[in-house]
Amino acid sequence: MTARRRPNFVFVLTDDHASNAIGAYGSVVNTTPGIDAIADAGMRFDRALVENSLCTPSRAAILTGSYSHTSGVTTLATHLTNDHETFATALQAAGYRTAMFGKWHLGHGEGYDPAGFDHWEVLPDQGEYFDPELITPEGRVRHEGYVTDILTEHALAWMAEQGDEPYCVLVWHKAPHRSWQHHPRHADLFTDPIPLPQTFRDDYAGRGTPAHSATMRIADHLYDVDLKQDPPAELAYEERAVWKYQRYMQDYLRCVAAVDESVQALTSFVAESGHADDTVTIYASDQGFYLGEHGWFDKRFMYEESLRMPLVLSYPARVAAGRASENLVSNVDIAQTILDFAGVEAPSGMQGASLAPMLTGDDPEPVRDAHYYRFYEHDDHMHHVWAHYGIRTDRYKLIYFYADGMDLPNTGNLTFPPEWELFDLENDPHELNSVHLDPAYADIRRELTLRLWDLQLELGDTPHPRQPVPEGRTR
């Protein structure tokens, strides 16, 4: 029997792409045929969750397969030293050709530049939408054009040079990150009114102080750099909020349109090269994003729209087409999944689980019964979301807002009285009413509080000193 060829990997990651803006996830605001084709050819994960909904920590988690407290990458201002083992370093050591194009956002310079890649071209920090500068091992080079197109073209050129040797290419786009600057070719898209989310006018009455304190409201916290024009002067407050939402969504979705074109170009190349069956194609975003739900934009909170990332994967040689999974999976699982498909042993420090058995049907059992989340960037100067951690199970979500920056970079220096929230996602899928103080949920609250404490111990994280020690446990 002929040995199966080691697969190629084409991994497209975007920044802040909400699942609700992807056709395969039921979008009512746009279509994404390129991304949908990956889902149709493989598996769509409906409960893919991030361990820290922020660009830099999530990228570190994806690369290292470990949680923020393990990698040390907790906020936007804490970067990943390049002595960490990642799926890229493991693939390269196993003979794979590897390349990285796009948004790195994990630090630059000696000790921080990308490691494990034979070729890399990355954007400095957030990068630019037009005429972007790219950092390479040889220095910085400015390129004329639109960033999504440029990254795609450079990746395709590198892929064409690899012949039949197995490779792994990361195409990690800037889009659709704020301030949502689209290519002129998409200026005529999404001119019809875009429907408002059901919770657009949420008043946060059923939640605690943190939801009230966050400065992420479309009505109040989108500015001229975001909107590119002033709202009509005659609009009243509510009308102006809707106008801002339409402008925000138009530009956001136009940026997504270019991303989907990139996906189509990459997958078309793979098909034309004759390696469609033995290529693992992954599309994901580094976290979720608010598209007007709860009146918000941005992410950070452990609420569903921010917590849930899109994740679709195809591998025709081994993964059956057209399936979806409701199992709880995490961005820390991606690294080990890639290495498992490549037949490469995962570094011992990785804390996720390979999803390959679930994808291939060899073992469809869930890899976890509870997902752990922690957001460290407390009360930053722009968004003012409180630091918190918690767990999400199949039905419930428990959140502890410990509200302390712990002197980490990019955090505020004020602390606030801690608060708890508990949501029954079956009865309250939009998380409008915390039931933490509801006597009917006393047993659930006790059970989840213990599970949170035990999961932190299992993963090697330390509960905040302000969190009470649950009955039956010791610090």
Side-chain angles (χ1 to χ4, degrees), residues 113-126:
D113 282 335
F117 299 100
D118 300 303
H119 182 91
W120 54 269
E121 303 175 32
V122 298
L123 296 162
D125 299 320
Q126 292 288 354

Side-chain angles (χ1 to χ4, degrees), residues 208-279:
T209 312
H212 293 266
S213 300
T215 53
M216 308 189 311
R217 288 188 62 83
I218 288 172
D220 303 321
H221 306 116
L222 284 182
Y223 307 116
D224 55 355
V225 67
D226 304 307
L227 302 170
K228 292 87 173 177
Q229 62 187 93
D230 293 329
E234 68 274 12
L235 296 181
Y237 180 82
E238 288 292 335
E239 296 171 315
R240 191 164 60 249
V242 173
W243 184 92
K244 287 183 176 183
Y245 169 76
Q246 297 295 332
R247 284 292 305 120
Y248 160 49
M249 288 297 291
Q250 285 170 349
D251 286 349
Y252 180 95
L253 296 175
R254 289 165 182 166
C255 290
V256 170
V259 167
D260 196 71
E261 291 170 353
S262 169
V263 172
Q264 292 180 63
L266 293 164
T267 54
S268 293
F269 173 89
V270 170
E272 292 164 6
S273 71
H275 286 296
D277 284 350
D278 53 20
T279 294

Side-chain angles (χ1 to χ4, degrees), residues 310-322:
L311 176 61
V312 295
L313 182 151
S314 67
Y315 182 12
R318 295 189 60 191
V319 177

Side-chain angles (χ1 to χ4, degrees), residues 13-305:
L13 185 75
T14 44
D15 197 319
D16 296 343
H17 191 183
S19 299
N20 289 346
I22 295 176
Y25 284 93
S27 173
V28 298
V29 296
N30 68 330
T31 60
T32 51
I35 300 167
D36 297 352
I38 301 173
D40 291 342
M43 181 175 283
R44 182 190 74 233
F45 291 93
D46 290 340
R47 293 179 177 175
L49 312 175
V50 296
E51 56 87 39
N52 184 345
S53 188
L54 205 58
C55 302
T56 301
S58 179
R59 288 159 192 272
I62 289 169
L63 283 164
T64 66
S66 62
Y67 291 80
S68 296
H69 63 268
T70 300
S71 69
V73 184
T74 52
T75 72
L76 291 176
T78 54
H79 296 145
L80 184 71
T81 55
N82 57 20
D83 56 355
H84 281 80
E85 292 183 296
T86 68
F87 72 79
T89 61
L91 288 176
Q92 187 185 51
Y96 267 80
R97 297 283 296 165
T98 57
M100 163 78 196
F101 300 89
K103 183 173 177 181
W104 179 244
H105 210 217
L106 290 164
H108 301 296
E110 186 177 355
Y112 294 97
D113 282 335
F117 299 100
D118 300 303
H119 182 91
W120 54 269
E121 303 175 32
V122 298
L123 296 162
D125 299 320
Q126 292 288 354
E128 304 157 287
Y129 271 106
F130 289 96
D131 301 335
E133 184 179 59
L134 292 175
I135 304 174
T136 75
E138 291 73 41
R140 297 183 177 225
V141 182
R142 189 166 294 278
H143 299 271
E144 184 176 344
Y146 188 60
V147 65
T148 305
D149 298 345
I150 291 167
L151 296 176
T152 306
E153 292 161 3
H154 289 205
L156 287 169
W158 183 85
M159 292 161 69
E161 296 172 352
Q162 304 315 306
D164 287 329
E165 292 301 311
Y167 63 80
C168 174
V169 59
L170 311 188
V171 187
W172 287 15
H173 288 297
K174 171 184 173 63
H177 192 279
R178 192 179 188 184
S179 57
W180 313 297
Q181 298 175 39
H182 62 81
H183 193 283
R185 69 175 179 270
H186 297 130
D188 294 333
L189 297 181
F190 309 107
T191 55
D192 292 335
I194 296 167
L196 294 174
Q198 182 177 334
T199 60
F200 183 73
R201 295 184 174 89
D202 188 358
D203 63 3
Y204 318 121
R207 260 87 11 100
T209 312
H212 293 266
S213 300
T215 53
M216 308 189 311
R217 288 188 62 83
I218 288 172
D220 303 321
H221 306 116
L222 284 182
Y223 307 116
D224 55 355
V225 67
D226 304 307
L227 302 170
K228 292 87 173 177
Q229 62 187 93
D230 293 329
E234 68 274 12
L235 296 181
Y237 180 82
E238 288 292 335
E239 296 171 315
R240 191 164 60 249
V242 173
W243 184 92
K244 287 183 176 183
Y245 169 76
Q246 297 295 332
R247 284 292 305 120
Y248 160 49
M249 288 297 291
Q250 285 170 349
D251 286 349
Y252 180 95
L253 296 175
R254 289 165 182 166
C255 290
V256 170
V259 167
D260 196 71
E261 291 170 353
S262 169
V263 172
Q264 292 180 63
L266 293 164
T267 54
S268 293
F269 173 89
V270 170
E272 292 164 6
S273 71
H275 286 296
D277 284 350
D278 53 20
T279 294
V280 177
T281 306
I282 303 171
Y283 183 87
S285 176
D286 54 3
Q287 62 252 327
F289 208 69
Y290 295 106
L291 300 182
E293 297 90 357
H294 309 291
W296 284 331
F297 64 95
D298 209 73
K299 58 262 183 179
R300 290 170 165 78
F301 277 111
M302 196 184 167
Y303 305 137
E304 285 295 287
E305 296 88 356

